[in-house]
């Protein structure tokens, strides 16, 4: 696939996500539009969409997870941690749930669970805030749900856990 083809797919996916959101700002359309903005490195706009969505859907673990992730991308670590910690409470005990792609998606977005993404980014927030014990606990929680065949996720969590333990002197 050429760069031009990927850019065109990205543009069409963004246009579709925006049109769907503007026609119907449902939870699913809000999450997807914000994610697509994030994929395009329009992080502040994504945060704004997630914030608007949380005004309509204040108990949305999806929106909290997404906004928390984007806060980390903008070095707003404490805000990200707060959103991700709240999302973690809301998903407690929930069966594994794969984050869905939006309508009209043409991008190769890897399928991962809300549980993995929430715990991974919450652990990262703790790490970036130098909260080593909390980071360790969150990375261990993240690893609990990783299937042994998901080598990318297993490697990512294990590497960050290793760095956390090193920082702790363990």
């Amino acid at each position: 696939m050429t760069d031009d083809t990927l850019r065109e797919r990205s543009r069409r996916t963004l246009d579709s996500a925006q049109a769907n959101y503007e026609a119907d700002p449902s939870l699913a359309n809000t999450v997807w539009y914000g994610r697509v903005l994030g994929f395009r490195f329009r992080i502040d706009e994504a945060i704004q969409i997630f914030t608007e969505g949380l005004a309509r859907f204040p108990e949305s673990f999806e929106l909290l997870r997404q906004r928390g992730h984007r806060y980390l991308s903008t070095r707003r670590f404490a805000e990200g941690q707060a959103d991700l910690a709240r999302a973690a409470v809301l998903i407690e005990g929930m069966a594994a749930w794969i984050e869905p792609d939006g309508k009209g998606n043409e991008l190769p977005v890897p399928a991962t669970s809300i549980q993995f993404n929430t715990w991974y980014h919450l652990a990262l927030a703790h790490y970036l805030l130098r909260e080593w014990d909390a980071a360790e606990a969150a990375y261990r929680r993240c690893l609990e749900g990783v299937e042994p065949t998901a080598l990318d996720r297993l490697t990512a969590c294990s590497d960050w856990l290793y760095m956390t333990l090193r920082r702790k002197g363990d």
Side-chain angles (χ1 to χ4, degrees):
M1 181 176 326
T2 68
D3 287 346
D4 288 339
T5 302
L6 190 55
R7 270 193 288 280
E8 180 57 26
R9 280 184 175 184
S10 178
R11 187 198 56 75
R12 284 194 310 259
T13 297
L14 177 61
D15 290 348
S16 173
Q18 183 176 2
N20 290 335
Y21 171 77
E22 288 173 353
D24 174 22
S26 66
L27 177 58
N29 287 342
T30 302
V31 170
W32 184 242
Y33 182 41
R35 284 180 71 192
V36 173
L37 287 167
F39 299 155
R40 304 266 319 215
F41 302 104
R42 293 167 59 178
I43 307 297
D44 290 328
E45 291 172 76
I47 289 170
Q48 182 59 40
I49 292 299
F50 296 136
T51 300
E52 290 170 10
L54 282 161
R56 291 188 304 278
F57 309 101
E59 297 301 309
S60 169
F61 57 86
E62 303 102 310
L63 290 168
L64 288 164
R65 198 294 277 178
Q66 294 292 338
R67 187 175 72 174
H69 179 171
R70 295 332 179 274
Y71 277 147
L72 298 184
S73 298
T74 59
R75 303 187 63 77
R76 294 160 68 181
F77 306 140
E79 290 168 277
Q81 179 192 38
D83 276 1
L84 292 158
R86 190 160 160 229
V89 168
L90 292 170
I91 64 172
E92 186 64 38
M94 187 173 132
W97 188 78
I98 301 299
E99 291 187 301
D101 286 347
K103 183 175 157 188
N105 178 35
E106 294 186 56
L107 301 175
V109 180
T112 53
S113 73
I114 192 81
Q115 288 85 355
F116 174 84
N117 286 324
T118 300
W119 285 105
Y120 180 85
H121 290 98
L122 178 56
L124 180 60
H126 286 301
Y127 181 92
L128 294 168
L129 290 165
R130 299 175 180 208
E131 298 169 353
W132 312 126
D133 291 336
E136 177 186 356
Y139 280 122
R140 290 191 187 283
R141 181 71 188 267
C142 184
L143 280 167
E144 288 174 13
V146 177
E147 341 44 79
T149 56
L151 298 179
D152 58 339
R153 293 183 288 272
L154 185 61
T155 301
C157 266
S158 297
D159 184 50
W160 280 104
L161 176 57
Y162 169 78
M163 290 188 289
T164 300
L165 293 172
R166 293 286 302 198
R167 297 275 188 200
K168 285 180 61 176
D170 291 347

